[in-house]
Amino acid sequence: MQSLKSRIGIQNTATKEIYTFETNATVSLFYKICTIVFFGCGNNFMFDDLKLPRKVVEICRIVSKVLGLLVVMLVCSTSTAFFTQHNLDMMHKAKLWLYGPPLVTLNVLYFNTVLRKNQIKKLSYTIAVVLRGMFNDEELEKEMVRKTWRFSFAFAFLVIGLFSSTGIVTGYVAGTTNETFTIMIPAWPDLNDHSHAASIARIAHYCIWLMLLIRVGCLYFVILAVTIGLQFQFSIMCNYFHSLNIIFAGEDSHEEKENNYEEAFKFGITMHYLTLWCIDQTQVTFGVAFSSQFITNLVTLISLMVQFMYMDRTFGNCLTVFLYAGAVLTSTGIFMWNAGDVTFEATKLHTAMFNSGWHNCRGRASVRVRKMLTIAIRQAQDRVTIKGFGILELSYESYISMVKLAYSVFSVLSQK
């Protein structure tokens, strides 16, 4: 690991690791996202210090700890509700499953990601600084930045829309009927408790739920930035290998051109090695996040279908279920589609290597280059995937399979 650190420009001190870099569009993107994440959860995932006033940093960290404690209390409340809430009808049992297990998995996701904060810093540094410093395509980099912000804003809009619409519809139902303002089933109060203390507790649960959505949602910004960054890294490498043909168009002697091509191809292999290292680190660092996302959405979809089957199909109830299902399906798709794009873009690399101009080499240089090219292409042909649970490949196909699995499980349960 020490050799890799020195290669990518990380220096150890007695207190922390120091990253040396020059600013580029990708670094600016990570900095802005990590600043948003810091305000959302009080943790700095940037490989550099955030340029924020010290007082602001201290306040954010204190507030984050307090909110973190409240979120843990919320998770405990929704989990113990399985043992304290009795005599629930099928619709409310579905709501119990809709929030209980998913809140646990999301909280596990949060703590696992925070524990791997230093690994995330090394990973993002390698993508934003080392790989971009080796070779970059400014047009592709601009498209990467635009796509990252597009998906980040879309995800934020879905989360805020889900929170707001759920509160508005539930509040309207509670105001026009005899039902209580119950978003999730907590350990206390009881569903039929109309006291002021119970009403305050339900509103508190609702507000703390927003805190959890913000904390976890901010971490997904980092995951999006990394996966989209890796997707475009493979596109940039394809452009790099295609550009090697230019070497043989110069005015140097053919022998010098062959030497330059050989060195440039070796440089590309090093770039590919570091990219594959990033893929492995993404799997290690965010594997729990991808697995948690799958479990959360599977349980959520099944619970929503059960709830829809047993509830009174009023406009407000249907709107809540459809909005929740739409937000879940879309947010899951955002991550699984981008992870699938990494696999798709990686399949183009071996073709770019083959079209890099190796056929211009002659004699001994041709022999050396062909051997090197064969090994490099064989390595590039290995399927590059990001997986959940270490076995489930995240892609367009697995996204459809997840939806079908949820419906299949619901069909089996509904027959009992």
Side-chain angles (χ1 to χ4, degrees):
M1 188 63 193
Q2 184 62 35
S3 60
L4 179 60
K5 285 183 178 181
S6 59
R7 175 178 294 179
I8 64 179
I10 303 176
Q11 301 176 4
N12 285 322
T13 65
T15 56
K16 65 176 184 178
E17 292 176 336
I18 298 177
Y19 298 84
T20 57
F21 62 93
E22 295 181 2
T23 301
N24 56 42
T26 308
V27 171
S28 298
L29 171 68
F30 274 95
Y31 181 85
K32 292 174 183 177
I33 286 179
C34 289
T35 301
I36 295 173
V37 171
F38 180 78
F39 283 113
C41 67
N43 287 283
N44 179 20
F45 290 89
M46 183 64 185
F47 42 82
D48 190 22
D49 293 331
L50 299 176
K51 306 302 186 291
L52 297 172
R54 184 174 180 179
K55 196 68 176 178
V56 173
V57 172
E58 292 176 354
I59 293 174
C60 285
R61 285 177 174 165
I62 293 173
V63 171
S64 176
K65 291 179 181 179
V66 174
L67 295 179
L69 178 61
L70 294 176
V71 167
V72 171
M73 293 172 62
L74 172 67
V75 173
C76 292
S77 178
T78 54
S79 299
T80 55
F82 284 91
F83 307 100
T84 61
Q85 293 286 3
H86 305 290
N87 303 319
L88 298 177
D89 58 25
M90 193 54 123
M91 191 189 78
H92 286 100
K93 286 181 180 179
K95 184 176 284 190
L96 190 65
W97 281 92
L98 180 62
Y99 289 96
L103 291 186
V104 173
T105 57
L106 289 176
N107 214 38
V108 170
L109 179 158
Y110 173 82
F111 284 113
N112 178 76
T113 307
V114 171
L115 287 174
R116 296 183 179 276
K117 182 167 58 176
N118 290 331
Q119 290 176 278
I120 295 174
K121 289 181 179 181
K122 294 174 186 175
L123 174 60
S124 59
Y125 177 82
T126 305
I127 295 172
V129 178
V130 181
L131 290 173
R132 293 295 182 270
M134 296 176 75
F135 182 80
N136 197 10
D137 186 311
E138 293 185 359
E139 291 301 319
L140 283 176
E141 189 178 36
K142 290 177 182 178
E143 177 58 29
M144 180 208 69
V145 172
R146 287 194 294 266
K147 183 175 182 179
T148 303
W149 285 122
R150 260 197 324 267
F151 278 100
S152 297
F153 286 136
F155 179 75
F157 177 79
L158 286 170
V159 171
I160 295 173
L162 172 63
F163 173 81
S164 303
S165 60
T166 303
I168 291 171
V169 173
T170 307
Y172 175 78
V173 172
T176 55
T177 65
N178 194 39
E179 293 187 18
T180 56
F181 181 79
T182 305
I183 302 292
M184 57 195 70
I185 310 295
W188 180 88
D190 189 79
L191 286 177
N192 298 317
D193 188 347
H194 289 79
S195 65
H196 290 297
S199 299
I200 294 173
R202 293 190 186 97
I203 295 174
H205 279 87
Y206 178 62
C207 294
I208 298 172
W209 179 44
L210 174 62
M211 298 300 104
L212 184 143
L213 292 177
I214 291 175
R215 288 161 69 84
V216 176
C218 285
L219 298 183
Y220 275 101
F221 290 168
V222 179
I223 299 174
L224 271 175
V226 169
T227 53
I228 294 176
L230 286 173
Q231 169 195 334
F232 277 86
Q233 175 57 30
F234 280 102
S235 299
I236 290 172
M237 281 196 298
C238 287
N239 285 357
Y240 172 80
F241 282 105
H242 283 301
S243 69
L244 297 187
N245 283 285
I246 302 176
I247 294 176
F248 293 96
E251 297 180 355
D252 298 329
S253 66
H254 195 78
E255 183 178 352
E256 290 177 338
K257 292 176 183 178
E258 289 175 338
N259 291 333
N260 291 337
Y261 173 83
E262 191 172 351
E263 291 302 316
F265 197 92
K266 290 179 180 178
F267 187 78
I269 292 176
T270 302
M271 198 188 316
H272 185 213
Y273 162 78
L274 285 175
T275 304
L276 293 179
W277 179 84
C278 289
I279 294 291
D280 292 338
Q281 287 301 300
T282 300
Q283 184 65 62
V284 171
T285 306
F286 299 123
V288 172
F290 295 130
S291 303
S292 299
Q293 181 76 8
F294 184 87
I295 294 174
T296 298
N297 288 278
L298 186 63
V299 173
T300 299
L301 290 175
I302 296 172
S303 301
L304 286 172
M305 286 186 280
V306 173
Q307 186 176 345
F308 184 76
M309 185 172 66
Y310 287 97
M311 73 181 186
D312 295 330
R313 291 184 178 86
T314 62
F315 175 76
N317 288 337
C318 291
L319 180 63
T320 301
V321 171
F322 290 145
L323 286 173
Y324 210 123
V328 167
L329 290 172
T330 307
S331 61
T332 304
I334 287 175
F335 297 104
M336 298 187 77
W337 301 336
N338 280 296
D341 284 339
V342 174
T343 302
F344 177 74
E345 294 298 331
T347 59
K348 302 177 183 179
L349 184 59
H350 68 274
T351 304
M353 289 180 173
F354 184 80
N355 294 322
S356 62
W358 61 273
H359 54 279
N360 292 299
C361 296
R362 304 170 185 170
R364 294 182 179 178
S366 177
V367 174
R368 292 195 306 270
V369 167
R370 279 184 292 168
K371 289 181 179 179
M372 183 171 55
L373 178 73
T374 302
I375 297 173
I377 289 180
R378 175 63 188 85
Q379 179 69 45
Q381 286 177 327
D382 288 341
R383 190 170 177 82
V384 176
T385 59
I386 298 176
K387 298 180 179 179
F389 304 104
I391 55 174
L392 178 65
E393 180 180 327
L394 301 183
S395 63
Y396 302 96
E397 292 78 10
S398 61
Y399 174 74
I400 300 299
S401 299
M402 183 201 69
V403 178
K404 289 181 178 179
L405 177 61
Y407 182 76
S408 299
V409 174
F410 164 73
S411 299
V412 172
L413 293 176
S414 62
Q415 298 299 322
K416 295 183 179 181

